[in-house]
Amino acid sequence: MPSIARPPAARQSTLTNPLHFQEILMARVQVINPQTATGDAKMLLDAVQSQLGVTPNFIRVLANSPKALEGFLGLYGALGKASVDKATQERIALAVAEGNGCQYCVSAHTAIGRHAGLSNEEMTLNRLGSSADTKAAAIVAFAKALNDNLGDITGAEFDAARHAGLSDGEIVEVITVVALNIFTNILGKATRVEIDFPKVDLLDTAQRAAA
């Protein structure tokens, strides 16, 4: 966003409007205001608001391309009916977000994961690539390997997922969840989305190395 000096009165009036204030904080891509959106963007944003009761900044940034938002919501919605349960999808999201250093996504999925029934201790393990649950630990480790190696995993890493009891369909679902979260991580980091969830710091290097 170009740095344009404004008269003090104009700057003050803008900052007193919370919606304008949020847009100023978005340094790289406009944060679409659901109240002034039009066309497909408004329809999709209204649907998110109706379903969630809020419209996160990430969704508002994605609404700059209604087709991109529609695609994201379609895949996200389809995964809601997947064999891999919601809590485990959140475990995967936390592992991938931590691995990619996306603080927005770590913060978001910590809030969502808590709503899905995950404890703080479990979510810390997830961010480190593990879980207190045996099958979930294998799934999260598989997801972490996929993310760390952009899919180019070893036979042993693939076989470990099979030995944990994952079907071919579940393996494909885990890969899909990882890919969707890589997308959200890239978008969040590239656009520098302002965190509008309770902020969670990334783990430090020592904590990750000890995992």
Side-chain angles (χ1 to χ4, degrees), residues 67-108:
K67 290 301 181 185
L69 177 55
E70 182 180 8
F72 169 78
L73 293 174
L75 184 53
Y76 184 83
L79 288 171
K81 302 174 184 177
S83 297
V84 176
D85 62 77
K86 178 62 176 174
T88 300
Q89 290 188 40
E90 289 307 314
R91 290 179 171 105
I92 294 169
L94 286 163
V96 173
E98 185 67 42
N100 292 330
C102 180
Q103 189 180 11
Y104 184 95
C105 296
V106 166
S107 300

Side-chain angles (χ1 to χ4, degrees), residues 84 87-98 118 122-148 157 160-161 164 166 174 177-178:
V84 176
T88 300
Q89 290 188 40
E90 289 307 314
R91 290 179 171 105
I92 294 169
L94 286 163
V96 173
E98 185 67 42
L118 301 178
E122 171 67 12
M123 289 190 284
T124 298
L125 286 173
N126 302 156
R127 292 166 65 187
L128 293 169
S130 188
S131 171
D133 178 88
T134 302
K135 184 173 181 179
I139 292 174
V140 174
F142 180 52
K144 185 176 185 301
L146 288 166
N147 184 58
D148 290 349
E157 289 167 329
L166 271 69
V174 171
V177 174
V178 169

Side-chain angles (χ1 to χ4, degrees), residues 26-39:
M26 190 65 236
R28 288 182 168 172
V29 177
Q30 182 184 9
V31 179
I32 301 297
N33 180 349
Q35 296 178 10
T36 58
T38 59

Side-chain angles (χ1 to χ4, degrees), residues 143-200:
K144 185 176 185 301
L146 288 166
N147 184 58
D148 290 349
N149 299 286
L150 293 178
D152 191 17
I153 59 175
T154 66
E157 289 167 329
F158 196 93
D159 290 344
R162 276 207 191 286
H163 293 157
L166 271 69
S167 67
D168 285 353
E170 289 171 324
I171 287 172
V172 170
E173 288 177 359
V174 171
I175 293 170
T176 304
V177 174
V178 169
L180 183 62
N181 280 280
I182 290 173
F183 163 69
T184 62
N185 295 172
I186 291 173
L187 185 68
K189 292 180 70 176
T191 61
R192 295 183 179 173
V193 181
E194 182 193 0
I195 299 172
D196 51 347
F197 293 87
K199 188 174 292 186
V200 177

